[in-house]
Amino acid sequence: MDDVHLDGMLHAAFVRSDYAHGILKGVDLSAALEHPGVIAAYAAQDLGDYWEPGPLLVPPPPIERLEFHAATQVPLARDKVRHVGEPIAVIVARSRYEAEDGAALVEVDIDPLPAVSELAPGLEPDAPRIHDQFESNLAAHVIQEKGAWDEARARAHRVIKREFVYDRGASAPMENRGVVANWDARSRELTVWDTTQAPIPIRNGLAAMLGLPQSEVRVIAPFIGGGFGPKIMMFYPEEVLIPWISMRLGRPVKWIEDRQESFFATTQERGQAHEAEIAVDEEGRILGVRDVFLTDTGAYNPYGLTIPINTQCTLLGPYRVPNYYTEFRMVFTNKPICTPVRGAGRQHGVFVMERLLDRAADELGIDRVEIRRLNYLNPDEFPHDHEIIFQDFSPLVYDSGNYAEVMDRAAEMIDYAGFASGEGAAARAQGRHVGIGVVSYVEGTGIGPYEGARVTIEPSGRVNLVTGVGTQGQGHFTSFAQLVAEQLGVGTEDVEVVTGDTARFAWGTGTFASRGAVVAGNACHAAAVLVREKVLALASTVLEAAVEDLELAHGQVRVAGSGASISLGDLAARANPLRGAVTPGAEPGLEATAYFGPERGATANGVHAMILEVHPETAEIDILRYVVVHDCGRVINPMIVEGQIHGGVAHGIGNSFYEQLVFDEGAQLLNASFMDYLLPTATDVPTIETAHVETPSPLNPLGVKGVGEAGAIPVGALFAQALEDALDIDGFEVREMPLSPNRLFELIRDAREKDDPC
Amino acid sequence: MLIESEFTFDVPREAVFDGLMDPEILAGALPGTERLELTGDDRYEGQMEVSVGPVTAARFAVVVELKNRVRPESFDMHVDGKGKAGFVNGIANVVLEEKDGGAVMKYRADLQVGGRVASVGQRLLDSVGKAMSKQGLEAVSQSLTARLEPATESVPQSAAAGAELAAASPASPPATRRGRLRLYLIVAILLALVMVALL
């Protein structure tokens, strides 16, 4: 984004709140405006009618027992500030330096208020109220139910109850956010370069906000260095202001987020606190689960209930759960907004279920892998309706899966059966603490509504593919090209892929929720199939042969046996003649646009296994082996799938042992830099052994399922299990994430004291 | 952020108490203070420049209010500092106890810190806060000891010498060691002249 340079471009810097909660009494821009180089400065009052809270991006799903209070972010704070880093004013200058100097001169008058920094206290009657229009800080209350938990509990052989806390973190992409906007009054075109994962909705929204026809707005999402979720959050204050400023000043304007800013200005995912129970029979079969939790949404909730609904749904995992009661309260806090980050609430659900199963296995004396196998859905039980609502507003129905096979592969790869007596025993004899963990999970992927693509063969023979989703490093240029190349008999490298430019393709939603390959991929495939049909029809006429006798290979259409052929390029030229007649109703050229919208999401699944060594004196860990067996249906490109898994696992390791956003009681973030917010490095991420199982999805022609978030989802649960196995201390239980050497040390010490008080 | 510690002065606690009410001395207790003026009853305003780790030369506008004064035992100091690098505010409770002719000052400060100073300098706030307190109190201790030294020095019991002394000593206590030495020298020479004159 920072590579975009336009003549006469101005630079913006933001003045942000230092307080987590306060009354905004006044903003004085006068000194800033006098600073040399400063061209303009705006606070809320300067925006006039343009000032309005952002749209509610995800309204509440059609769930019966649901209470929802929407409060969305504003372009610049007015009357109140509700989290540290909330934008208060924007300074526009000739250079970023001058803009920052100007920003330092803005006088902001805030009367601090006590801040809400934790979930349960935030719901107390006397808690400071963040949104005065509501009676409390309760943002939502949702109950979903299936079967009858009370009955299940009553007839259970064992009921196990635990409390869990699961915290996430920032998305930390290599490239921060940025917006460049240029209003060209002469050609009446607003061009916006934006690091968004959703250029089309941004275009549509900006057009509406700025009172422009959609055709006069172009949003370009270049090939961005990482998204991971927060860039699908839309209508951020900066996204909404920079284009408006460009239109007002008649000049291009750029804003690039710096790293420190990103900890406040870009959304993140944070914590949940669960009280969960599982009811099992004497063989370890799940009779029912009950889960009640609090979830943090931050100062506003523009993304609705996506994260906690994912938690509710993903908790069920690959298991048969006949009775389920799940309830959550979403709480407003004086912290930055929470929106999905790789995993989007699935981690929390998986942690709860996997931990409960581990406890059940312990108490019943059953092997951890066996208890999972016992409860897996069988391949003949699909489609399986869990009777609760998923984030795509449809009932949660799993399409296909072969969970036992995935587990068998993983257990075999890590030699689970042989560990206890083999490697595990050897380590113990040496006094080392080495443990093994195996966890399984499902991932809801590939949800609608739809995506589209257009394939064109040019007279030069080059094949163009355009689709509306954006690309942040998922390998779209390869995987989408493959799908088209396969249909047209050209090399993958001969397909030119364009993504994320509304001037080239303007129908679709965006890149999120592990849906790119499933939805956009199938649209690319569908468009390629249509072009292939046109190629065959025209070639059949030109070469005077039956369609069945034609072959597409190496950029040529050839008649089998006779050797007559024509290149795709020449055929394309023929399809667009300058003389002669064309059949009425026929479309010129070799081009087709197609859309794909799945009936509902496709359920991928996987098993992660790990051998881990702990050094109890220092609470340091070494991951000795890491195995992932994954089923994302049909694999388009194995290397890209592996890349997604590796990246996800690295992120999962970060969320388990290194990353944590630390806030104090004043809701001040204390580690807003990579000095103190630790990301795992190359030495912390092991070599990851992967294998694939392919259970095609019946929901799309390619049979694919998503894989983008899979690597990150079960890692916390896996760490917990492996640590317990390695330390083997009675009463030592991991019920929280993340850990750290410090925290692990405390847990070990506390458990040892209880185990052996003298 | 909690800062809790104690500091021993060589001077009696009355002197410490009174000294801390003096803006000049109080300024010394807060290192990096560029300016501190008495602007009202027990209210001081001024400017500070502080560095905390990667946050360098951060300037703060400071308001200090002294409350619940119980001479010479205790008082509270309400501090409110605001700047581009964030804010620091809170209350310090100060208790003075007598000990061996001197005073032990026990202080406890509960501070809210926000903005960049908190989010980037957090790891160092504790140690910087302690270092600043110690440095500041040592400076105060020196000032107080110096201020009291000329009064406690043994002086010849002659009215003339006393008058000379009164004439020779400057209106306010000298701020530097060199200044003090110069003063002692002047006094010594005058005394010598007087004694010679008397003999």
Side-chain angles (χ1 to χ4, degrees):
Chain A
M1 180 58 57
D2 210 3
D3 294 335
V4 179
H5 288 294
L6 300 168
D7 280 340
M9 191 165 72
L10 298 173
H11 298 258
F14 282 83
V15 176
R16 298 179 182 279
S17 174
D18 279 343
Y19 295 89
H21 196 199
I23 311 280
L24 182 61
K25 309 265 286 293
V27 185
D28 185 358
L29 303 169
S30 48
L33 284 165
E34 281 169 30
H35 191 271
V38 171
I39 306 293
Y42 307 97
Q45 62 264 21
D46 302 310
L47 302 179
D49 289 335
Y50 193 67
W51 189 98
E52 64 175 351
L56 178 65
L57 300 173
V58 185
I63 293 173
E64 224 184 283
R65 281 175 288 173
L66 180 148
E67 186 188 331
F68 184 70
H69 304 284
T72 57
Q73 74 288 355
V74 297
L76 290 173
R78 190 176 78 176
D79 305 328
K80 252 193 135 179
V81 291
R82 296 186 177 86
H83 68 87
V84 174
E86 188 168 8
I88 294 174
V90 55
I91 311 295
V92 185
R94 291 178 314 214
S95 72
R96 179 64 181 249
Y97 294 104
E98 286 163 324
E100 297 255 359
D101 284 346
L105 294 173
V106 173
E107 295 293 328
V108 175
D109 187 7
I110 292 178
D111 265 354
L113 293 170
V116 175
S117 67
E118 286 180 75
L119 297 178
L123 289 178
E124 308 256 303
D126 58 348
R129 194 124 48 91
I130 300 174
H131 295 281
D132 301 309
Q133 69 268 34
F134 303 136
E135 282 169 13
S136 71
N137 295 318
L138 181 74
H141 184 197
V142 176
I143 298 174
Q144 297 214 64
E145 207 170 354
K146 164 188 169 186
W149 157 255
D150 290 322
E151 280 174 31
R153 192 181 195 286
R155 59 186 164 85
H157 169 72
R158 197 70 71 97
V159 176
I160 296 159
K161 188 172 181 175
R162 287 292 190 278
E163 288 179 13
F164 301 109
V165 173
Y166 200 102
D167 201 2
R168 293 289 312 283
S171 54
M174 212 180 293
E175 176 174 7
N176 286 320
R177 287 196 300 124
V179 183
V180 178
N182 185 29
W183 168 244
D184 184 334
R186 200 173 311 133
S187 60
R188 287 201 65 82
E189 188 176 76
L190 173 68
T191 309
V192 181
W193 289 262
D194 189 352
T195 52
T196 178
Q197 292 169 224
I200 296 168
I202 293 289
R203 183 207 67 169
N204 298 344
L206 283 179
M209 285 177 206
L210 294 165
L212 294 171
Q214 285 185 353
S215 52
E216 286 182 9
V217 181
R218 176 183 186 186
V219 176
I220 301 170
F223 183 10
I224 299 162
F228 309 116
K231 290 173 181 169
I232 195 75
M233 164 64 189
M234 293 181 251
F235 310 109
Y236 277 105
E238 303 85 3
E239 252 172 344
V240 154
L241 285 169
I242 301 296
W244 180 83
I245 295 172
S246 176
M247 288 190 79
R248 262 183 102 82
L249 299 178
R251 287 177 70 171
V253 183
K254 170 189 268 194
W255 169 76
I256 301 294
E257 183 191 55
D258 67 42
R259 184 62 65 179
Q260 232 179 75
E261 246 181 321
S262 74
F263 281 90
F264 307 100
T266 290
T267 60
Q268 52 199 223
E269 219 186 293
R270 284 193 308 273
Q272 292 180 1
H274 287 249
E275 276 178 27
E277 291 179 75
I278 191 169
V280 291
D281 69 13
E282 57 268 345
E283 282 168 20
R285 248 179 292 264
I286 301 170
L287 298 174
V289 173
R290 174 188 145 100
D291 183 37
V292 177
F293 63 100
L294 296 177
T295 184
D296 183 0
T297 185
Y300 303 98
N301 59 353
Y303 222 83
L305 302 171
T306 302
I307 293 172
I309 296 218
N310 278 345
T311 306
Q312 288 187 313
C313 291
T314 315
L315 183 149
L316 294 167
Y319 310 110
R320 198 177 301 103
V321 183
N323 301 287
Y324 185 38
Y325 177 89
T326 168
E327 176 183 357
F328 70 82
R329 284 179 174 78
M330 174 183 264
V331 187
F332 287 118
T333 59
N334 287 117
K335 296 179 180 177
I337 301 170
C338 286
T339 69
V341 173
R342 198 169 202 170
R346 296 181 187 77
Q347 276 87 333
H348 310 70
V350 169
F351 188 75
V352 171
M353 182 59 118
E354 294 300 290
R355 300 274 61 217
L356 288 174
L357 282 174
D358 288 338
R359 293 280 76 82
D362 271 347
E363 290 202 16
L364 296 174
I366 300 173
D367 176 74
R368 295 172 253 154
V369 168
E370 278 318 306
I371 199 172
R372 287 166 168 85
R373 277 205 185 96
L374 183 66
N375 285 292
Y376 280 161
L377 294 165
N378 297 316
D380 58 5
E381 283 177 82
F382 294 89
H384 186 84
D385 186 353
H386 277 293
E387 300 172 38
I388 59 174
I389 304 287
F390 188 43
Q391 62 154 322
D392 62 345
F393 294 23
S394 310
L396 181 68
V397 178
Y398 292 2
D399 57 345
S400 67
N402 195 343
Y403 304 140
E405 186 184 333
V406 175
M407 172 58 91
D408 288 343
R409 281 295 287 283
E412 190 197 354
M413 280 172 74
I414 202 151
D415 189 21
Y416 178 78
F419 178 80
S421 53
E423 193 179 335
R428 218 156 301 152
Q430 293 176 332
R432 293 165 60 207
H433 298 266
V434 180
I436 191 168
V438 182
V439 294
S440 63
Y441 66 99
V442 299
E443 184 196 354
T445 70
I447 57 172
Y450 74 95
E451 289 302 329
R454 184 177 64 247
V455 173
T456 313
I457 302 179
E458 289 190 354
S460 63
R462 171 170 134 158
V463 179
N464 289 331
L465 168 67
V466 192
T467 178
V469 297
T471 302
Q472 305 88 38
Q474 301 90 338
H476 290 161
F477 303 129
T478 304
S479 50
F480 294 169
Q482 267 181 256
L483 294 170
V484 172
E486 190 181 33
Q487 290 301 315
L488 299 181
V490 298
T492 305
E493 61 280 2
D494 297 322
V495 180
E496 196 62 31
V497 182
V498 170
T499 63
D501 183 346
T502 63
R504 302 290 300 274
F505 202 93
W507 295 103
T509 1
T511 311
F512 59 99
S514 301
R515 66 194 287 278
V518 179
V519 192
N522 272 283
C524 294
H525 170 82
V529 164
L530 288 174
V531 172
R532 182 190 166 90
E533 280 166 14
K534 287 187 177 183
V535 165
L536 290 172
L538 183 59
S540 161
T541 311
V542 168
L543 297 174
E544 291 171 339
V547 167
E548 308 81 64
D549 297 329
L550 296 173
E551 297 166 347
L552 267 66
H554 306 298
Q556 306 273 333
V557 189
R558 216 189 337 243
V559 182
S562 91
S565 70
I566 184 168
S567 74
L568 287 177
D570 288 342
L571 201 62
R574 299 259 195 141
N576 189 21
L578 287 174
R579 290 284 186 282
V582 152
T583 320
E587 287 174 0
L590 294 174
E591 177 176 278
T593 301
Y595 299 93
F596 177 73
E599 182 191 330
R600 58 174 175 272
T603 306
N605 74 93
V607 171
H608 289 212
M610 169 164 89
I611 295 178
L612 175 79
E613 179 165 7
V614 191
H615 306 278
E617 296 72 34
T618 57
E620 289 283 350
I621 53 142
D622 281 316
I623 302 175
L624 303 177
R625 280 189 71 193
Y626 201 105
V627 165
V628 176
V629 179
H630 191 260
D631 184 349
C632 58
R634 186 162 154 231
V635 170
I636 300 171
N637 185 314
M639 187 172 77
I640 287 176
V641 170
E642 272 184 27
Q644 286 284 39
I645 291 176
H646 289 187
V649 170
H651 197 153
I653 291 173
N655 283 146
S656 301
F657 210 66
Y658 301 92
E659 301 182 45
Q660 187 167 30
L661 294 162
V662 180
F663 292 87
D664 70 8
E665 12 13 273
Q668 291 283 340
L669 179 61
L670 301 179
N671 58 343
S673 79
F674 289 153
M675 290 188 308
D676 299 317
Y677 181 86
L678 305 179
L679 294 174
T681 64
T683 52
D684 304 314
V685 181
T687 305
I688 299 160
E689 304 162 53
T690 56
H692 299 292
V693 170
E694 290 191 7
T695 314
S697 169
L699 296 175
N700 63 77
L702 291 174
V704 299
K705 301 179 181 179
V707 71
E709 295 164 272
I713 292 171
V715 190
L718 181 62
F719 255 85
Q721 200 197 94
L723 279 170
E724 285 175 10
D725 191 56
L727 289 165
D728 198 22
I729 301 171
D730 244 346
F732 172 78
E733 274 183 32
V734 177
R735 304 182 199 178
E736 61 190 82
M737 277 289 142
L739 295 176
S740 62
N742 206 51
R743 183 68 189 130
L744 182 56
F745 183 86
E746 283 175 357
L747 290 172
I748 295 173
R749 180 197 59 201
D750 293 345
R752 278 186 169 160
E753 272 171 19
K754 248 190 269 162
D755 199 26
D756 178 20
C758 44
Chain B
M1 180 179 97
L2 207 59
I3 303 178
E4 197 163 358
S5 191
E6 55 181 64
F7 187 87
T8 306
F9 290 91
D10 293 330
V11 298
R13 57 179 184 168
E14 289 77 7
V16 176
F17 193 95
D18 292 340
L20 288 173
M21 302 298 136
D22 179 344
E24 261 187 54
I25 303 242
L26 188 59
L30 307 164
T33 302
E34 299 172 335
R35 180 176 61 82
L36 194 68
E37 300 165 339
L38 189 65
T39 55
D41 267 349
D42 289 336
R43 187 191 159 88
Y44 306 80
E45 286 181 30
Q47 192 103 19
M48 282 180 74
E49 191 183 278
V50 181
S51 291
V52 181
V55 185
T56 49
R59 314 189 83 227
F60 290 87
V62 178
V63 173
V64 179
E65 282 183 307
L66 301 176
K67 298 196 175 169
N68 300 329
R69 297 206 287 146
V70 179
R71 183 183 190 277
E73 293 174 7
S74 65
F75 63 93
D76 291 339
M77 199 161 78
H78 292 232
V79 178
D80 190 345
K82 255 195 283 256
K84 298 314 156 193
F87 64 84
V88 177
N89 55 46
I91 304 176
N93 311 108
V94 180
V95 166
L96 293 161
E97 291 170 0
E98 281 179 350
K99 189 179 178 179
D100 304 331
V104 172
M105 179 171 115
K106 294 186 176 161
Y107 59 96
R108 184 181 188 280
D110 193 1
L111 301 176
Q112 282 81 51
V113 187
R116 197 166 303 167
V117 153
S119 60
V120 173
Q122 201 281 326
R123 261 185 304 126
L124 299 157
L125 277 175
D126 222 33
S127 52
V128 168
K130 287 201 185 105
M132 277 176 65
S133 309
K134 190 150 176 280
Q135 185 191 344
L137 290 170
E138 271 171 8
V140 168
S141 182
Q142 277 183 13
S143 303
L144 289 175
T145 313
R147 183 184 263 189
L148 294 180
E149 254 176 33
T152 57
E153 216 179 26
S154 52
V155 175
Q157 296 301 314
S158 79
E164 297 282 8
L165 193 59
S169 64
S172 54
T176 65
R177 190 139 242 151
R178 195 180 290 146
R180 278 200 297 273
L181 282 171
R182 204 178 298 135
L183 174 63
Y184 300 155
L185 204 54
I186 292 167
V187 167
I189 291 169
L190 282 169
L191 277 175
L193 287 174
V194 163
M195 293 179 79
V196 162
L198 286 176
L199 284 172

